[in-house]
Amino acid sequence: MTHGLTDALFYEKVSSFLVWFYVVLAAMNGIAALYVWRTGQTKKWIGLPGGHGLGITNAVVWLLVAAAFAVCAALAGSGMSGNGAWMPSMPEAWKNFIDSNTGPVVYSLGTTVLLAALFVFRRFFTTPAVAWTILNLMLLFLGLSMTDRDFFEIVAKPDNVPIVMLILLLAFFTWLATYRAVINDDRMERGEPPLEKLDDEKVLVWPDLVYIELICMIALTAFLIFWAIALPAPLEEPANIAKTPNPSKAPWYFLGLQEMLVYFDPWMAGVVLPLLVVNGLMAIPYLDFNKQGNGYYTIKQRKFAYLTFQFGFLEIWITLIVLGTLLRGPNWNFFGPYEYWDAHKVEAADNINLSQIWWEKLLGSSLPMPPSGAGFLVQAGHILLREWLGFALTLGYFIVLPPVLALTVLKRYYQKMGLIRFMLMANLLLFMAALPIKMVLRWVFTLKYIIWIPEWFLNF
Amino acid sequence: MPGLGETIRESQIWKSIFRHPMPVDRRNRIVVMLTNFFLHLHPVSIKKQGIALSYTWCMGGVTFFLFLVETVTGVLLMFYYRPTVQWAYTDIQMLRDVHSLGILREIHRWGAHAMVITVWLHMYRVFLTGSYKPPREFNWVVGVLLLLLTLLLSFTGYLLPWDQLAVWAITVGSNMARAHPFLGHEGPGQQLLTLGGVDMITSASDARFALLGAREVGEETLNRFYILHCIAIPLGVALLLAIHFWRVRKDGGISGPL
């Protein structure tokens, strides 16, 4: 999109965006300061020496942040002249550090640790002041990175813009839900009803609800028209079946599935797992026997359901989409956020199958391959012998593990749910866990397939 | 002398359309919800927390509104678009360059992206408030089906501009169908489906062929996706939406603590 632009033209383009971006950030913080002050929520954060009770309040801090963003806006405006030297940017050293230290492993483990920390310390992170600081830092990171051409190229690609919006919206709504859940959990521990119970009185739908709907419709229409004018929808060159783009990507909402292709064959990543996701979602109300937590935000009262869902949604579905969209470049190689998408980047791919590890590495013999033109039974016999370890592990995982779970750690669930519902839940969970397990096996043992049957297109 | 507004509101025509007086007092605010077709989806009164934005996020309503926006802009776009390999790309280009209503396509496309996001957020809220629990289990199932149809709507629409982005995204996406167990010609188990020694599942009869209408993304695919996108899937969505909204009411309205 910025191909063919000189540096000067690029800085002009990004500068005209960043000025408004920082102005909005400054306004946001100014409004926050005003809100804190007017609603009497001012708190002294830093005491000044002198003992007059004077100090820097939160309102002053947000006002200072607003001023800092206003300065950023002015500096970003300097890029209009075509010279980016004064524009606030991420230091080169940091960019290189981030690029050279990120990869699928760091990304996956990093998001896992981050989400786990956000969950464990949710009481701290949902404090409005902390959450507001994090939001400011996220947006600042975006602003500072936009002056990098490679970063801009990926993030500002029209069809990727929804991803950036998705990340910000999810961050906001996850904060909102967790904030309310923490308050509710505290209240219910004290024997008080949840927040949702407080507004129990009934109001008439006209005017209270229909006006909300009307205002939402007008605001949304205005937003869509603004978006449509500000950012033209993508239209690339006319379709050409002979010219394969590199990388070729599915629409962004399917990129989590495309990312799974790194670890599974298409029949798993593209058919079986998506079908299980849909069916698993539909099964949720029939598997969750917990009667608590119906109609209000809570985490403590339904920890198992909450963690399972968040693991599947935020930790797998969303992080894989972000990875697949923003960080996977030509040949589906991993590229850091500031890295040039070099189509010639070569990554070693010396993955190995479990049967190879067993027969070649451990026993030092060759794989028992079926002779060509053999009948079905001879072929099946060879395959069974060749892949016995993979079959044993897979069957053990899906068939032996659920009863073991039922008798040990998940005994309470088994007793409440009964055989069929429990087995269904256990298998859905095991399928969901199969992805991270396969990822770890790939990273640690460069394992390609647990079961490798190319004769039948059956690799697992 | 009554004013003009009053004259209009007292006329036989006005009264035949709006079966209720202006909703200015309590009685008529109730009557309006019961007698107006567009409003009768709502209950007459609702718990205050049920309309609090910090609880509902308004995402279900936003998704429905986006569906309406997509329907209206989509119908208008159909006037200017011909689903053929010869014309599809040119028509989109002309729409952008020539027609003063070129913004229609922008709104349609961005609205589609936004709709996918708002559906997710709506389901996220429903999950986090445990609103799928009895008696609303079945409505959650209907919601999952609506999610699926929303993604398929977006996916089929992706092909229509017939540019590189469109064709290759659909190629990558539909390649998955080739590996469908039993039904894809490169999927596990397909070699079991033979009839008198002849393969039943080939590249000209497998799941991918059914989706594309051909071996590769081409003219037939464009036609197939156009019909799916403009008629088949929207009809399915409309039906499921009706059930979804009806069940919201029948299952006790918006969820809340008991």
Side-chain angles (χ1 to χ4, degrees):
Chain A
M1 182 183 33
T2 61
H3 289 308
L5 284 188
T6 60
D7 274 350
L9 283 172
F10 168 74
Y11 284 128
E12 267 178 52
K13 189 183 165 94
V14 71
S15 166
S16 61
F17 163 76
L18 280 178
V19 169
W20 290 109
F21 181 77
Y22 285 120
V23 165
V24 170
L25 284 188
M28 259 170 49
N29 280 287
I31 292 169
L34 191 68
Y35 173 80
V36 168
W37 174 54
R38 295 294 296 187
T39 54
Q41 299 180 51
T42 39
K43 269 182 236 144
K44 191 162 65 175
W45 276 358
I46 304 161
L48 287 185
H52 304 293
L54 286 173
I56 298 175
T57 64
N58 48 358
V60 174
V61 170
W62 299 131
L63 209 57
L64 288 174
V65 172
F69 278 129
V71 173
C72 285
L75 287 174
S78 72
M80 296 277 196
S81 62
N83 179 357
W86 284 91
M87 293 173 74
S89 306
M90 194 71 86
E92 283 298 322
W94 291 21
K95 288 202 262 185
N96 291 334
F97 178 80
I98 291 174
D99 274 350
S100 55
N101 285 291
T102 46
V105 182
V106 172
Y107 175 82
S108 303
L109 294 182
T111 44
T112 310
V113 171
L114 181 72
L115 287 172
L118 286 173
F119 172 74
V120 173
F121 302 107
R122 58 187 182 275
R123 187 174 301 278
F124 170 74
F125 283 115
T126 53
T127 317
V130 177
W132 187 255
T133 310
I134 293 173
L135 178 69
N136 271 322
L137 288 176
M138 277 171 74
L139 291 169
L140 182 67
F141 169 80
L142 185 64
L144 291 180
S145 301
M146 281 303 238
T147 54
D148 184 272
R149 285 190 79 146
D150 295 312
F151 186 93
F152 185 89
E153 189 79 23
I154 302 165
V155 170
K157 184 169 179 270
D159 255 25
N160 289 351
V161 170
I163 305 278
V164 180
M165 284 172 48
L166 175 71
I167 295 172
L168 291 171
L169 283 170
L170 272 177
F172 171 74
F173 282 117
T174 305
W175 166 76
L176 181 60
T178 318
Y179 177 65
R180 289 179 63 115
V182 168
I183 294 177
N184 276 346
D185 286 344
D186 283 353
R187 291 177 62 89
M188 288 184 290
E189 227 155 65
R190 293 194 299 265
E192 294 168 21
L195 289 172
E196 285 79 358
K197 191 84 178 165
L198 299 182
D199 279 328
D200 232 5
E201 60 177 307
K202 284 209 161 192
V203 291
L204 287 179
V205 167
W206 185 300
D208 285 60
L209 178 55
V210 288
Y211 273 66
I212 290 179
E213 289 175 346
L214 182 71
I215 293 166
C216 278
M217 281 195 278
I218 293 171
L220 197 63
T221 310
F223 170 73
L224 273 179
I225 292 175
F226 169 77
W227 189 6
I229 292 173
L231 195 66
L235 188 65
E236 296 185 355
E237 40 192 303
N240 184 353
I241 301 291
K243 198 171 136 194
T244 315
N246 187 9
S248 295
K249 290 190 178 183
W252 61 265
Y253 37 82
F254 289 148
L255 286 187
L257 303 178
Q258 202 174 344
E259 174 64 23
M260 290 203 298
L261 284 175
V262 176
Y263 305 99
F264 287 110
D265 266 15
W267 71 275
M268 273 296 285
V271 184
V272 173
L273 288 176
L275 282 174
L276 284 175
V277 169
V278 171
N279 285 294
L281 278 173
M282 289 200 281
I284 286 176
Y286 306 99
L287 298 177
D288 184 359
F289 56 83
N290 181 1
K291 287 192 172 60
Q292 286 185 311
N294 184 348
Y296 50 91
Y297 292 97
T298 174
I299 291 176
K300 273 194 182 154
Q301 290 187 353
R302 43 198 293 258
K303 222 169 197 168
F304 183 76
Y306 180 86
L307 284 175
T308 310
F309 184 85
Q310 291 293 39
F311 180 74
F313 183 60
L314 288 186
E315 168 59 20
I316 296 187
W317 186 248
I318 297 296
T319 47
L320 286 192
I321 284 178
V322 173
L323 170 62
T325 312
L326 303 180
L327 302 172
R328 288 290 189 183
N331 308 324
W332 209 254
N333 281 333
F334 185 96
F335 288 84
Y338 309 105
E339 199 175 340
Y340 173 68
W341 279 16
D342 182 1
H344 303 293
K345 179 174 176 173
V346 180
E347 272 185 17
D350 48 356
N351 296 327
I352 185 168
N353 299 320
L354 185 62
S355 48
Q356 282 174 295
I357 296 179
W358 174 259
W359 291 100
E360 292 175 355
K361 293 223 163 157
L362 287 178
L363 298 186
S365 63
S366 60
L367 285 177
M369 299 296 283
S372 58
F376 177 76
L377 282 179
V378 178
Q379 199 184 31
H382 275 88
I383 289 171
L384 207 59
L385 178 65
R386 185 182 72 205
E387 305 294 329
W388 76 269
L389 184 58
F391 279 123
L393 286 176
T394 311
L395 290 180
Y397 183 71
F398 284 115
I399 293 178
V400 180
L401 204 49
V404 172
L405 289 174
L407 295 175
T408 55
V409 278
L410 295 180
K411 196 168 184 178
R412 195 172 64 84
Y413 289 80
Y414 175 66
Q415 285 165 346
K416 286 244 182 188
M417 295 172 80
L419 181 69
I420 295 178
R421 284 205 298 169
F422 179 83
M423 287 303 162
L424 182 61
M425 181 187 76
N427 272 290
L428 285 169
L429 291 179
L430 288 175
F431 265 106
M432 186 160 80
L435 177 68
I437 290 175
K438 195 89 194 279
M439 290 167 98
V440 171
L441 289 176
R442 172 69 54 86
W443 301 332
V444 179
F445 303 110
T446 61
L447 183 79
K448 188 154 197 225
Y449 295 121
I450 296 170
I451 297 177
W452 176 67
I453 314 177
E455 295 91 341
W456 298 340
F457 302 117
L458 190 71
N459 302 320
F460 178 74
Chain B
M1 271 294 281
L4 182 62
E6 200 179 324
T7 312
I8 291 173
R9 282 196 297 277
E10 291 301 317
S11 69
Q12 191 184 357
I13 296 176
W14 179 275
K15 281 182 163 176
S16 71
I17 300 173
F18 302 101
R19 300 175 59 216
H20 47 78
M22 291 299 278
V24 286
D25 51 33
R26 187 178 163 84
R27 182 182 177 278
N28 284 320
R29 282 173 175 173
I30 292 170
V31 169
V32 72
M33 301 310 298
L34 298 172
T35 58
N36 185 302
F37 173 78
F38 294 102
L39 296 176
H40 89 285
L41 276 174
H42 298 89
V44 167
S45 65
I46 191 166
K47 274 186 189 165
K48 215 172 170 185
Q49 69 92 16
I51 57 171
L53 280 181
S54 58
Y55 177 74
T56 68
W57 306 355
C58 204
M59 280 301 152
V62 166
T63 309
F64 178 53
F65 179 66
L66 283 171
F67 178 70
L68 296 180
V69 168
E70 295 298 289
T71 308
V72 171
T73 53
V75 167
L76 291 173
L77 282 170
M78 283 168 79
F79 288 130
Y80 298 100
Y81 173 83
R82 286 162 284 185
T84 62
V85 168
Q86 188 187 358
W87 288 110
Y89 183 79
T90 334
D91 283 347
I92 298 289
Q93 216 172 19
M94 297 239 293
L95 197 71
R96 171 188 266 186
D97 294 344
V98 182
H99 291 289
S100 51
L101 285 175
I103 192 180
L104 274 178
R105 188 201 156 224
E106 259 72 33
I107 293 180
H108 193 75
R109 178 144 194 154
W110 295 138
H113 284 310
M115 196 170 146
V116 172
I117 294 176
T118 56
V119 169
W120 292 3
L121 290 174
H122 173 57
M123 296 185 78
Y124 195 33
R125 194 282 292 174
V126 170
F127 184 90
L128 291 177
T129 54
S131 304
Y132 58 83
K133 298 192 175 198
R136 298 184 181 80
E137 310 104 299
F138 181 68
N139 219 11
W140 167 267
V141 174
V142 175
V144 175
L145 293 175
L146 279 167
L147 162 79
L148 196 62
L149 289 186
T150 306
L151 293 177
L152 287 178
L153 265 180
S154 189
F155 184 66
T156 49
Y158 221 81
L159 181 68
L160 303 185
W162 203 248
D163 60 347
Q164 280 288 72
L165 193 65
V167 169
W168 287 99
I170 303 307
T171 304
V172 170
S174 62
N175 275 346
M176 299 299 118
R178 195 154 58 186
H180 195 296
F182 299 107
L183 300 180
H185 80 279
E186 288 178 8
Q190 54 86 21
Q191 58 276 74
L192 299 176
L193 297 178
T194 55
L195 203 63
V198 181
D199 276 349
M200 286 167 71
I201 306 295
T202 65
S203 62
S205 66
D206 68 348
R208 184 167 189 264
F209 192 93
L211 190 66
L212 299 184
R215 282 196 176 89
E216 296 299 331
V217 175
E219 184 88 51
E220 300 87 348
T221 317
L222 189 54
N223 188 46
R224 207 159 271 210
F225 274 40
Y226 181 69
I227 294 168
L228 285 173
H229 184 75
C230 300
I231 298 174
I233 303 176
L235 284 177
V237 171
L239 176 68
L240 287 178
L241 271 183
I243 299 173
H244 200 58
F245 293 158
W246 189 75
R247 283 300 294 251
V248 170
R249 290 290 304 280
K250 293 294 159 185
D251 293 340
I254 186 161
S255 64
L258 299 168

